[in-house]
Structures are given as structure tokens and as C-alpha cells.
């Protein structure tokens, strides 16, 4: 079940370096793309690299917002599919059979089967966007599946909700065993 | 054994989102800090967040360079130790028993027991550095342990060289099983 994540803990959804799906919407159009280059920038901000050729970028720049979806392992094929197709030519959601959840606070679709979702407003930084394709988002809302993340920590109570770490091509690593250091 | 990684493949060392150790040196001083917020920015660039209070930042800004070390699982305790101490007060290398390798092309120490190392020159971006603590590095050199990364891909032939993904506090995930999607 999708539950809210306190904003002060939302950066932890990205700390371990999962691959992401970026969703966006504007004027009745929507899209989804894959992004491995995303990270927390601060406790209330994140960054993501969005190439100039991406249709998602057009939607993001027009609407000023985007959602970082953190896919569970079952979505590995979908990550590769949406990463190798163009949302200007096809509806990736229907083409690849992706279900979405509607969240009342935004028109951006949340991809079903993810472990977590982070809704961001773009902090306009034209130089970064033009020179480095780097977008900075202020985190305005976050949710997680309660079988994956609870009380501010990943639990992966449901092993199937373990997240993915991108390598290259169609290769990923699944999030592995936990390790705790006590000083 | 540490071997060179072709620069065109160096971004892959960070793609899967490992925690990093940042090393730096200037005028006979050196330091090491932990950074979970690091990512590839392009095929030849990366970003890392370095807080204004970090002694490493002083060394980085003075020398214009840094090394991203990607620790293997055996260094988890060291990651937490160097992340909770101040290099202006103590020599973290000797205090925490960290061995280093000297690389002729830089005076920055490489932390032994890592899976990979990426040497970067800072691309000065004062606004990003001041506003977001965000540093952009151009990758000028990269190496990996040949039992961890070879022929442009992570292999983790030696399981002990698997990398770490940071959660919070002293908690990590180890890089898990590999998963390959064929379209």
C-alpha cells in the first residue's frame, strides 16, 4: 500500500543509488523515461540528468515538475523498454503495459509496482540545464510502498519490492543484503 | 590488482549508485571523507556534494582536484568512521588504519581495498558550489581492481569486492544479484 513518506526522510529513498523512472505531464500529454543519473542533493532536494533530446524534458520544462519513481525489481524490463523508446512517437505506458496510479496532488502519473515515488518542483537553473542537462528538484511530496519503506527506512519486507541499480545495456544489480556497522 | 579503466567506461563505476570515499590533498595535507551523494553527470563528468564544513572541501578548492574511491564491503566500518570525524583535527588515515596507494599522476592518496577509483579535476562552478554544495568533476583518470571491474563491466569476480550502497547511520546494502533483461 502506498503511504506518505515524511519529507525529512525522502532523501533516503535515493541514498542507496537506485535506478529511477521519471514521469512528467503537461497539457494532457504524459511520459516516462529511465534515469540512472539521479541523486539526493540535500535533505529536501534532488538532481537528475535529462538529455536535451528527451520528450520528458519538454513536458518537465513546460510544467515545472516531475516525479522520480523508484522501480521494484519486477519492472526491470520496463526500465529498459522506456529507456529505449521515444515518448513523442508512442504512448510508452500503453505500449509497454505500464499501470499508473493517480495522485490527487499532481497530474503526473505514478508508475505502479514501484517501491517509492518522489514528486519535485523544478528549481530553475538555466545554466545547469543547458550546459549539463542537470535538473534540480525541490521535493514537495514523497510516498513509498509500506512493504518496502517504513518509519523512515527501507525494510524490503516484500523481497519483490527490492530496487534496481543500473549497470549498462539491460544489466542491473538488485539491492543486496543489508549490513550494519556499530561504532 | 589495480588496472586502468578506459575513460569512456569510467561513468559505469558510479552508475549503480555506490557510496564513495572522497580523497583530496594540498600542500602536504590530505584527507578522506564519505559521500553518498555522488553520481555520473555525463560520460566524462561526475558530481558530488561536499558540505561547506568539510575540511576536504578546503583541500579540493585549493588543489582543484579530488578522487572518488568506491569502497568494497570490507571498508563499511571505515566509511562510517571517516564520515563521523573531522580531518582538520585528526589524520583519518592513521587514526582508522586506512592504507593508501600512491598513484604517480596525482598527490591524492587512493584508499586501498576499494573496488575502483576515479580522479577528477574540478570544473569551477561557483554558484553550484556556494548554493548547493555541488561540485562537478571532469574525469581525468580511472582505475579498478581487476577482480571487481574488467572489460568495461563490473564482474565482482571476488565477492569481497562488492560495493556498498548507503542507507543512513551505519546501515548499508551490499550490491546484490545481477539481473539481465533481453528485449
Amino acid at each position: 500500500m502506498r503511504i506518505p513518506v515524511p519529507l525529512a526522510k525522502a532523501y533516503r529513498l535515493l541514498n542507496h543509488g537506485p535506478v529511477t523512472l521519471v514521469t512528467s505531464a503537461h497539457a494532457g500529454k504524459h511520459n516516462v523515461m529511465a534515469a540512472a543519473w539521479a541523486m539526493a542533493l540535500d535533505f529536501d532536494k534532488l538532481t537528475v540528468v535529462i538529455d536535451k533530446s528527451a520528450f520528458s524534458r519538454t513536458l518537465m520544462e513546460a510544467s515545472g515538475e516531475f516525479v522520480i519513481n523508484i522501480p521494484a525489481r519486477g519492472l526491470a524490463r520496463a526500465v529498459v523498454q522506456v529507456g529505449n523508446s521515444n515518448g513523442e512517437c508512442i504512448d510508452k505506458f500503453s505500449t509497454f503495459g505500464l499501470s499508473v496510479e493517480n495522485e490527487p496532488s499532481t497530474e503526473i502519473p505514478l508508475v505502479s509496482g514501484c517501491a517509492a515515488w518522489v514528486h519535485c518542483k523544478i528549481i530553475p537553473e538555466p545554466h545547469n540545464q543547458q550546459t549539463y542537462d542537470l535538473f534540480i528538484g525541490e521535493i514537495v511530496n514523497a510516498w513509498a510502498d509500506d512493504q518496502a519503506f517504513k518509519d523512515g527506512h527501507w525494510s524490503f519486507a516484500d523481497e519483490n519490492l527490492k530496487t534496481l541499480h543500473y549497470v549498462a545495456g539491460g544489466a542491473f544489480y538488485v539491492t543486496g543484503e543489508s549490513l550494519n556497522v556499530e561504532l
Side-chain angles (χ1 to χ4, degrees), chain A residues 17-18 38 54 66 75 96 101 104 115 129 131 136-137 139 156-157 161 177:
Chain A
F66 60 92
L75 287 169
F96 303 121
E101 294 179 38
Q129 294 166 210
T131 308
I136 296 178
I139 300 171
F156 297 121
L161 290 175
E177 64 180 293

Side-chain angles (χ1 to χ4, degrees), chain A residues 10-61:
Chain A
Y11 74 96
R12 289 189 184 172
L13 299 172
L14 278 172
N15 257 15
H16 68 307
V19 73
T20 72
L21 292 172
V22 183
T23 48
S24 51
H26 181 68
K29 293 188 172 172
H30 50 229
N31 199 24
V32 52
M33 62 173 279
W37 298 350
M39 72 170 184
L41 176 65
D42 205 337
F43 298 108
D44 60 353
K45 295 183 193 72
L46 57 79
T47 61
V48 61
V49 177
I50 308 286
D51 193 75
K52 287 179 188 66
S53 67
F55 179 54
S56 296
R57 182 159 167 165
T58 309
L59 300 180
M60 285 170 57
E61 290 183 321

Side-chain angles (χ1 to χ4, degrees), chain A residues 65-86:
Chain A
E65 55 178 345
F66 60 92
V67 170
I68 295 287
N69 305 253
I70 302 178
R73 57 180 299 164
L75 287 169
R77 173 171 294 273
V79 172
V80 180
Q81 287 170 324
V82 306
N84 285 284
S85 53
N86 184 336

